[in-house]
Amino acid sequence: MNSAASGAVNGGISFWYADDGLPAPREPLAGDASADVVIVGGGYTGLWTAYYLKKAAPFLRITVLEQKFCGYGASGRNGGWLYNGIAGRDRYARLHGHDAAVRLQTAMNETVAEVVRVAEEEGIDADVRVGGVLEVAYTPAQLARLKAFHEQELSYGEKDRELYGARETAERIRVAHAVGSTWTPHGARLHPVKLVKGLAAAAEALGVTIHEGTPVTEIRPKHAVTPYGTVRAPYVLRCTEGFTASLKGQRRTWLPMNSSMITTEPLTDAQWAGIGWEGCETLGDMAHAYMYAQRTADGRIALGGRGVPYRFGSRTDNDGRTQAATVEALHEILVRFFPSLAGVRVAHAWSGVLGVPRDWCATVTLDRATGLGWAGGYVGSGVATANLAARTLRDLVQQDSGQAGGTELTTLPWVNHRVRKWEPEPLRWLGVHGMYTTYRTADRRELTAPGAQSSRLARFADRVAGRH
């Protein structure tokens, strides 16, 4: 590890927890119990679902069961991108028609504002800054993809999106060699842990029961089974995202994809002056193995990418510890984007998992025959998507229980979408690692190639992976 990355804190869940502190532990389940709704998983999806259900029907007895502590998984480790992307939209357009996909995209656009609204209403200070999302291109092939992506987003009704050339891009953020970008106002930077802590507190204040240190080992109709007892409820909602594979019978349901991040030490005013970034946009690129970044409230750059994408056997976690080679690779991206920061120290590195369905489509489901529901498979776009999923689960439960009728959300095309399971090992491991090796090779070729054609390697990897 070079001098820029040496001495970085590695793991410890995430920088966000190092910055804001670990939460005081809540009591585990004390024995068998009953509820009207039991929610498995204390991340964004589970907490938002509990919050909205309790607001809609205060009489409901709602219990959340969390294996470690609220926000231990992706909700406490993500890049703080609250934005309007949703996994699977193009496939839903093919399955249900373009207009249905436009409705889904419109709901996602509105979800960004909904999260900001609730945070303000509940007094959750999560360092939210609504600056939109800027996605840049720095090769001819990336620029061609960016322009196609921009036109596609317009076709899904996002009329307030803007396309920039090199000069206009630099006026927002001075990314080295950037030749263009696309910007949407439907995005915000936030502090993931401050949001998840505030959300858990808001749910508890409404009367939701949260048990931490309570791993659920099996979900079956009307039962959530833990080592400390079983919670029985008419509705059992699985909100476990990247940790779903640890549940009995769910090993191949969603693949736990690994994503890694670094944060820099705080930059000086002079360093920020050289970069720009006054609008605090979230920043991404059009590489096949893409990056994501934000300017934090305390003046750091937090930057992420895939690193080692998958652990054999769907294993998930070692409290966020990250391989040295991944830290180096992320630091190289940082310096490629901002060469003036070559000497800036990496302060913290960590990893986490996100849920990937076999067809790369986020879903929300309630099986009316069993009372089992689930939401997830966000493929890295979960900060906002979890909120839309939670409001949809709320409406599905209320509709099924006769408390309310169907809503606009219950008719969105991702509702009750089913997909086949992932292949058994070692095919899973070989496929995912082969895919990302191919993407990185394609990105390297595009950096040196003069043409505007996307690498055929990447198109091949997309087809094999089932992403398109």
Side-chain angles (χ1 to χ4, degrees), residues 339-364:
S340 63
L341 302 185
V344 168
R345 189 176 67 88
V346 173
H348 203 122
W350 72 98
S351 297
V353 293
L354 49 102
V356 181
R358 188 60 183 86
D359 65 354
W360 301 74
C361 290
T363 57
V364 56

Side-chain angles (χ1 to χ4, degrees), residues 8-12 14-15 261-263 320-322 327 346-351:
V9 176
N10 194 327
S14 70
F15 162 77
M261 292 198 70
I262 59 172
T263 55
R321 187 152 185 86
T322 301
V327 180
V346 173
H348 203 122
W350 72 98
S351 297

Side-chain angles (χ1 to χ4, degrees), residues 184-209:
T184 175
H186 302 292
R189 170 214 76 190
L190 55 76
H191 189 300
V193 162
K194 291 181 179 179
L195 177 61
V196 79
K197 284 182 177 179
L199 186 53
E204 282 187 314
L206 292 171
V208 172
T209 299

Side-chain angles (χ1 to χ4, degrees), residues 24-25 27 34 64 117 121 125 150 208 235 312 323 335 339 345 347 392 395 428 440 465:
E27 290 294 317
S34 63
V64 176
R117 181 193 69 79
E121 183 178 284
D125 183 1
H150 179 83
V208 172
Y235 297 99
F312 190 89
Q323 290 187 345
V335 174
R345 189 176 67 88
T392 307
D395 290 358
R428 226 166 36 247
R440 292 188 181 105

